């Protein structure tokens, strides 16, 4: 049985930030498979194009006739000017967005408070919090006017429980959780849906970025247990988006079976 009701996704237009890799890329491909149109946004244009090609192949394979339009738009969500002119860069026929997936985000370092650089602190807040809020502000008025729309924010286990060595990242994801909660309450009198997905460990480029390119250090994070993969979270995002219009999946907290919190995990493969 399919994890999603494809008929509810057919012909929908989905905008995904951070669609060049990991969870965002896997989500784009799964929406494509469900017959949606997808706008893929991120900084790396070559990677976006490769994901768009994978979307085209997935859509073709699905045999669904509708949807299947894929556009790539270079976007650094930390750049206010790029956000301000973002809609103009979307092809005219895809400007009516139905689902916004605010996925772009990252963590840098494991430094403790006192040793965190101003640059890292600013970078994480600018992307994970301000970028997500600015993108939401860009589309919420249109959603209200059209009496439709679904905003899916990617939070984290780090937004539910802080851990040592992650003060700024945890603070950004707590901010995402709080912002999403306020938004949910503000649109209660509309058909707009608001969802927060909170993943635990997902093996993507995430830890490589955290350890500034040190692949060996990144691999250690997942040593001895089976982490989630990007496709696992993509399934949850697409599942939430494909519920009937009167159903709002407000939160989904998704962990690998051997993880119970940011710091509690069981590593059966590590003796
Ligand atoms: N992996 C995990 O364990 C985990 C757990 C919980 C939550 N999350 C969250 O899941 C989301 C996706 O992470 P992931 O695991 O898929 O990591 P990933 O593989 O590193 O992908 C991150 C994506 O974000 C994009 N991005 C980063 N900075 C950006 C910027 N300034 N402007 C636009 N796009 C930007 C990257 O694209 P470009 O570099 O091309 O811009 C990339 O497509 C993040 O919000 C992360 O916090 C991840």
């Amino acid at each position: 049985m399919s994890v999603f009701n494809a008929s509810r996704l057919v012909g929908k237009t989905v905008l995904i930030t951070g669609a060049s890799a990991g969870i965002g890329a896997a989500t784009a491909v799964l929406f494509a498979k469900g017959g949606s149109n997808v706008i893929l946004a991120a900084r790396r244009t070559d990677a976006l194009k490769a994901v768009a090609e994978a979307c085209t192949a997935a859509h073709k394979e699905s045999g669904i006739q509708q949807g299947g339009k894929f556009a790539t738009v270079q976007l650094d969500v930390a750049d206010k000017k790029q956000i301000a002119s973002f809609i103009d860069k979307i092809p005219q026929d895809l400007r009516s967005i139905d689902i916004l997936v605010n996925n772009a985000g990252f963590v840098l370092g494991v430094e403790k408070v006192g040793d965190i650089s101003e640059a890292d602190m600013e970078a994480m807040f600018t992307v994970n919090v301000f970028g997500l809020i600015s993108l939401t502000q860009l589309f919420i008025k249109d959603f209200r006017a059209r009496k439709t729309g679904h905003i899916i924010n990617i939070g984290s286990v780090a937004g539910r429980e802080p851990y040592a060595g992650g003060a700024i990242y945890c603070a950004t994801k707590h901010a995402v959780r709080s912002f999403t909660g306020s938004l949910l309450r503000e649109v209660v009198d509309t058909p707009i849906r608001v969802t927060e997905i909170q993943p635990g460990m997902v093996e993507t480029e995430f830890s490589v970025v955290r350890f500034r390119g040190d692949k060996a250090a990144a691999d250690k994070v997942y040593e001895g247990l089976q982490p989630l993969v990007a496709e696992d979270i993509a399934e949850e995002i697409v599942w939430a988006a494909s519920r009937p219009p009167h159903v709002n999946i407000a939160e989904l907290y998704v962990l690998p079976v051997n993880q119970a919190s940011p710091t509690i995990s069981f590593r059966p493969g590590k003796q």
Side-chain angles (χ1 to χ4, degrees), residues 18 20 23 43-44 75-77 103 169 173 199-200 202 204-205:
S20 60
I23 294 168
R43 293 167 302 177
R44 287 172 288 172
L75 174 70
D76 180 347
V77 300
N103 164 74
Y169 181 66
K173 291 298 184 179
V202 191
T204 58
E205 293 176 8

Side-chain angles (χ1 to χ4, degrees), residues 6 11 13 16 24 37 50 53 73 89 109 129 133 153 170-171 175 179 181 188 207 210 212 221 240 243 254 263 271:
T13 298
I16 305 173
N37 305 306
E53 278 167 25
V73 182
K89 293 189 190 138
V129 184
I133 294 172
N153 290 338
C170 293
F179 174 77
V188 70
S207 291
R210 163 168 246 164
R212 305 175 206 275
V221 173
R243 296 309 84 214
V254 190
T263 52
Q271 304 302 325

